[in-house]
Amino acid sequence: MIWYETPATLGMAMFFVLLLTAASQTIVALEAGELLRGKGALRFIRLLYGLLALISVILSLEGITAIASIEGGIYLPIPGLLRYFVILPVLLFLCSIKRPVELPKQLQPSVITFFIPLLLLPPVDRLPRPLPVAFAVFAVVWLMLDTVRMLLSFRIYSRTQITRGVMAHIIRGINHGICIANRRGWILEVNPAFISLCENLGIHKAERIAEFDAALRALHDDGRLKTSELENGKSIRAENAVYFLQRSSFKAAGKIFTQMSLSDVTVITRAASELEHENERLAQNNQKLKSLISDIELEETIRERERLCRAAHDLWSQRLAVAGLSIDILLDRENRQINVDTLEEIISALKEPIMAEPAQTICDLPEVLRWLTEMYGRLGVQIQIDGQADFTEREQEALCAVFREALANAVRHAYARHITVRFYEDSEKTGAVILNDCLDDKPDIVEGRGLHDIKTRIYHAGGSIQYKKDTAFELEIVFPKGMIKQEEVLA
């Protein structure tokens, strides 16, 4: 009754270990059928680990009985007759000596495994304490470790051991023809694929490699086949098929053998040809793409050049307007007495940096108008600003450049001294109107560089312009609200 001689914790641990050991031993007995082909070896392994699993189950039943007795407070006697089954592994070992069983070295059970269950015989319980408990614990641990070792051996054996029958099945099942010949050229072994491919070529019953080569040359001379030497083999072209023949030699058991492999590579050749044509098409498309990229780069260069031209035109147009106004002031006959302060203001206006077209930053439209009003005001041009409207950042950027150009044009070409800028806004559009007097009332308008730049900027910002001329020149800029919102959503 070793279960009543052990602490409850140790008894519980032994019970769980025995359950896991019994399950693992059962797995060993079942998996042996997947690795062992010999009936004797399979029967031996299954019988051994089946008996060990039975012993583990018997001990587990004793353990659960003792645990239930301790937990319930009722003493339950544990019969020990079932433990005499531990003698059966020893009898199996004696039978294996009389009738040896061939097992792989990796799957050979340890001799101690047959005898270790004897430590669990009922008479051992009568030994002085704590020897029966120590023997029982040692036997349980050994059985568990032996089962784990056998499971690991099964895994290693299943990965590394390939029987000759499996290898032969693989060779016969592959779709590449294989032929083995001895050093004298006599064909020893061929697989069905080699025979089938030779028949497709028109070669029948070749017993030597020399006969195979002679038949291949004859077919080539008759024009039925076309052969060509490659770096690592030979290409054979029939009417609608392509084959690849490769020859090599190897050494086994001190003898030299020749191996020929014959493969049908028709599908691969067609795929390679299609891939080559596809590569040519891709090369042509790449060339077209490079040409398009070059055109795009050229277009971007032209756009950048156009932007720089617009910026330069704005700068010099405004400087010319300032210079013209300055000259008018200096040549004013009614105002011959020009004081020093007026001259300094004119020189300052000519030297003051001109705001060029911004590349990245967003213009502040009110600030630009304030600056233009002050600058032209010092030179005798009155700019009146009326109304109010909200513009997007993109529209403000365009309007900043447009106002600089429009005001400079009004001063230079129309000699305007009074310019009106009016903003308006409704539910559908926002806009601005620039109005200045003209020297004549002719309606003809010559669109120069300035008007062209204005139209370009407004168009790129999503707006439109209208202009007319009689006694006054009127330029109207309109930005539809719906179109602007749609562009912002798409961006």
Side-chain angles (χ1 to χ4, degrees), residues 157-169:
Y157 183 79
S158 64
R159 290 196 300 265
T160 59
Q161 185 68 17
I162 301 178
T163 62
R164 187 176 182 275
V166 174
M167 184 64 74
H169 175 74

Side-chain angles (χ1 to χ4, degrees), residues 66-134:
I67 292 170
S69 175
I70 294 172
E71 293 293 334
I74 302 174
Y75 178 77
L76 298 175
I78 302 175
L81 294 178
L82 293 178
R83 272 203 268 166
Y84 281 101
F85 277 101
V86 299
I87 300 175
L88 295 179
V90 178
L91 298 178
L92 181 62
F93 176 76
L94 297 176
C95 291
S96 66
I97 293 177
K98 190 174 182 180
R99 293 183 178 181
V101 179
E102 294 185 2
L103 285 170
K105 185 177 180 181
Q106 299 96 319
L107 305 182
Q108 190 72 38
S110 175
V111 177
I112 302 177
T113 303
F114 294 92
F115 293 94
I116 203 70
L118 295 179
L119 295 176
L120 301 173
L121 284 171
V124 178
D125 292 347
R126 300 189 182 92
L127 294 176
R129 305 302 186 249
L131 288 179
V133 176

Side-chain angles (χ1 to χ4, degrees), residues 193-213:
F194 187 85
I195 298 173
S196 176
L197 293 174
C198 286
E199 292 177 351
N200 293 340
L201 292 173
I203 302 174
H204 306 280
K205 295 182 180 179
E207 296 184 356
R208 301 182 62 181
I209 292 181
E211 296 177 4
F212 176 85
D213 293 338

